[in-house]
């Protein structure tokens, strides 16, 4: 093999996966078709990507959260009513185009609106922060916050980390062909053939890897067409700055900074292969808003749709998929990036264990088993928001009912937890309430916190100092497991992705811990 793993795509998902593989010592080559990041991603208002609770947790466990916060366009502190404004230096950090409006898009300070603060939205219907249940266990345990970051800035952070860990990143090198067999994959890219043990397709919604490897990708076609652009107007704009406006033809918004326009029209064909023009944006705004504004120039522009598709499986032999290559849906609610980061965290350690030879039977197949249901649920919530965006009278009535539900404590709390990923869990064996959830960030007797011990990407056996029966097991798996001393009373096996695989309260049977170690960490090296 030339390299153990080839990752196609140097977006956030591919780079995060490369970081996870390198933490485990697996040689990895990242191939990226673009010679440099997409121009549109450099403008914060265009390339902003939401960071939800599971992603913040993943970045925290890998020591990346502070860098993400520093580069964020805005960030919610643990109190959801507090919105931290973007730093004045955002423009220089994100490498925004030098045009004034594009600079404004990255450097703009976003401030809470007058009146009640909002914690999120569902199909544009706001979720008020003062309607949330402060006693809810998941909300109370959420201390990391969330926000938005330009994709360009996030890719810079992850690319630096991947390179520092030893990943090779080749830009301007599109994958053009592949030939997979039982022993590996021959990858054709940049006029060369690279022989690899495994190929990970992280190359987006129109994935070349998914197509060439013949993954089935069932789903539904797009119902609406969204356009957003940073534009220049011919004089003072007649289009007022403000929130989303719904009309009989769709919806539109101008803002949050001057020059950013965004339209959504139902029933329009989805063409992503031609540049967005000034006339196209003018015509779309006129159809949706009824206001004719003269647009002289499109600085950056993109189109998107709400097609919903999901690969039937995320693995075929030696080829795996992650991120948009595995699932696509409407961007409403900002779930796409977060879903992909979760894929990378789940896949990384399992693929690394398989490459290194210690993975128990079937471990890699649990990637699809665990992540496919998460993706399907996100798609369902995304489709529901598409349905609530239609302009007919019955949908308007349904939106009114939904708005009333979101104005209740139970409704607001439930919806926010779902769209933020709080309480997301895997269906793993065992009946302890922590199993399948991200491990709590415990305060430890030595003054550290549990998340700090997750940075090397190893499994953790967390237990009290006097729990000799459980601690005695760790030595057999010392090459892939770290023992962490906690206060007496709770023992946990935390997988490398941060999820609890086994847990027991004080006085547990060491035999149950040993079974969990075999299930997730395979045969001890000393027994091979």
């Amino acid at each position: 093999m030339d390299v153990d793993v080839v990752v196609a795509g140097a977006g956030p998902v591919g780079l995060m996966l490369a970081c996870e593989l390198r933490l485990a010592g697996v040689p990895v080559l990242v191939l990226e078709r673009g010679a440099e990041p997409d121009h549109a991603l450099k403008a914060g208002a265009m390339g902003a990507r939401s960071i939800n609770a599971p992603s913040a947790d993943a970045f925290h466990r890998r020591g990346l959260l502070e860098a993400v916060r520093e580069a964020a366009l805005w960030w919610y502190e643990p109190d959801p009513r507090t919105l931290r404004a973007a730093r004045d230096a955002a423009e220089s950090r994100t490498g925004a185009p030098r045009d004034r409006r594009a600079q404004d898009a990255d450097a703009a300070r976003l401030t809470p609106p007058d009146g009640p603060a909002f914690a999120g939205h569902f199909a544009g219907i706001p979720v008020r922060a003062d309607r949330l249940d402060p006693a809810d266990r998941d909300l109370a345990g959420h201390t990391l916050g969330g926000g938005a970051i330009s994709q360009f800035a996030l890719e810079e952070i992850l690319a630096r980390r991947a390179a520092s860990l030893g990943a090779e990143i080749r830009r301007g090198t599109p994958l053009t062909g592949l030939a997979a067999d039982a022993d590996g994959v021959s990858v054709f890219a940049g006029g060369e053939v690279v022989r690899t043990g495994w190929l990970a397709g992280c190359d987006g919604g129109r994935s070349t890897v998914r197509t060439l490897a013949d993954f089935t990708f069932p789903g539904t076609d797009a119902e609406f067409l969204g356009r957003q652009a940073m534009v220049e107007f011919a004089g003072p704009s007649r289009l007022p700055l403000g929130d989303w406006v719904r009309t009989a033809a769709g919806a539109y918004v101008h803002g949050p900074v001057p020059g950013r326009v965004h339209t959504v029209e139902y029933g329009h064909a989805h063409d992503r292969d031609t540049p967005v023009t000034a006339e196209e944006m003018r015509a779309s705004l006129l159809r949706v808003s009824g206001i004719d504004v003269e647009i002289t120039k499109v600085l950056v522009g993109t189109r998107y749709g709400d097609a919903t598709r999901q690969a039937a499986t995320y693995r075929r032999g030696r080829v795996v998929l992650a991120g948009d290559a595995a699932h696509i849906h409407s961007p409403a609610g900002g779930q796409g990036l977060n879903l992909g980061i979760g894929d990378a965290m789940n896949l990384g350690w399992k693929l690394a264990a398989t490459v290194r030879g210690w993975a128990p039977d079937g471990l890699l197949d649990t990637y699809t088993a665990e992540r496919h249901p998460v993706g399907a649920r996100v798609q369902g919530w995304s489709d529901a928001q598409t349905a609530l965006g239609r302009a007919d009278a019955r949908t308007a009535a349904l939106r009114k009912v939904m708005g009333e539900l979101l104005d209740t404590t139970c409704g607001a709390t439930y919806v926010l937890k779902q769209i933020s990923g709080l309480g997301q869990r895997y269906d793993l064996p065992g009946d302890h309430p922590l199993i399948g959830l991200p491990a709590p960030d415990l305060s430890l007797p030595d003054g550290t916190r549990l998340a700090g011990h997750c940075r090397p990407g190893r499994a953790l056996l967390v237990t009290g100092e006097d729990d000799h029966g459980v601690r005695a097991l760790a030595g057999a798996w010392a090459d892939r497991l770290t023992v962490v001393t906690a206060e007496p009373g709770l023992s946990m096996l935390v997988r490398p992705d941060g999820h609890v695989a086994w847990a027991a309260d004080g006085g547990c049977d060491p035999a149950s811990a040993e079974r969990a170690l075999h299930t997730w960490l395979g045969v001890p090296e000393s027994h091979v």
Side-chain angles (χ1 to χ4, degrees), residues 287-363:
R287 286 192 297 269
V288 175
S289 70
I291 302 172
D292 190 10
V293 294
E294 185 177 352
I295 297 173
T296 58
K297 185 178 182 181
V298 171
L299 305 172
V300 289
T302 61
R303 303 181 190 87
Y304 66 90
D306 64 309
T308 302
R309 297 188 179 279
Q310 186 177 29
T313 178
Y314 291 0
R315 175 194 173 195
R316 292 201 68 203
R318 295 275 181 154
V319 182
V320 293
L321 302 177
D324 288 350
H327 39 70
I328 59 171
H329 54 84
S330 164
Q335 298 294 302
L337 169 67
N338 299 289
L339 194 54
I341 294 296
D343 291 347
M345 291 292 291
N346 189 288
L347 172 62
W349 74 276
K350 295 173 181 178
L351 183 54
T354 303
V355 170
R356 297 184 63 185
W358 60 258
D361 290 343
L363 179 66

Side-chain angles (χ1 to χ4, degrees), residues 371-395:
R371 293 303 299 173
H372 199 279
V374 176
R377 184 167 180 79
V378 168
Q379 289 187 321
W381 277 69
S382 175
D383 281 349
Q385 293 184 74
T386 291
L388 278 172
R390 295 169 183 151
D392 60 274
R394 287 189 172 92
T395 301

Side-chain angles (χ1 to χ4, degrees), residues 240-310:
L241 283 167
D243 297 327
W244 278 95
V245 178
R246 289 173 50 79
T247 72
Y252 72 95
V253 65
H254 178 201
V257 293
R260 177 188 178 263
V261 290
H262 192 166
T263 64
V264 172
E265 296 182 78
Y266 280 70
H268 277 248
H270 186 189
D271 177 12
R272 293 182 57 181
D273 296 324
T274 58
V276 176
T277 66
E279 183 54 38
E280 177 184 354
M281 287 305 306
R282 178 180 182 175
S284 181
L285 279 168
L286 178 59
R287 286 192 297 269
V288 175
S289 70
I291 302 172
D292 190 10
V293 294
E294 185 177 352
I295 297 173
T296 58
K297 185 178 182 181
V298 171
L299 305 172
V300 289
T302 61
R303 303 181 190 87
Y304 66 90
D306 64 309
T308 302
R309 297 188 179 279
Q310 186 177 29

Side-chain angles (χ1 to χ4, degrees), residues 178 207-217 311-313 316 319 321:
L178 64 88
S207 169
T208 300
V209 172
R210 185 185 65 232
T211 300
L212 293 177
D214 202 25
F215 282 81
T216 57
F217 201 48
T313 178
R316 292 201 68 203
V319 182
L321 302 177

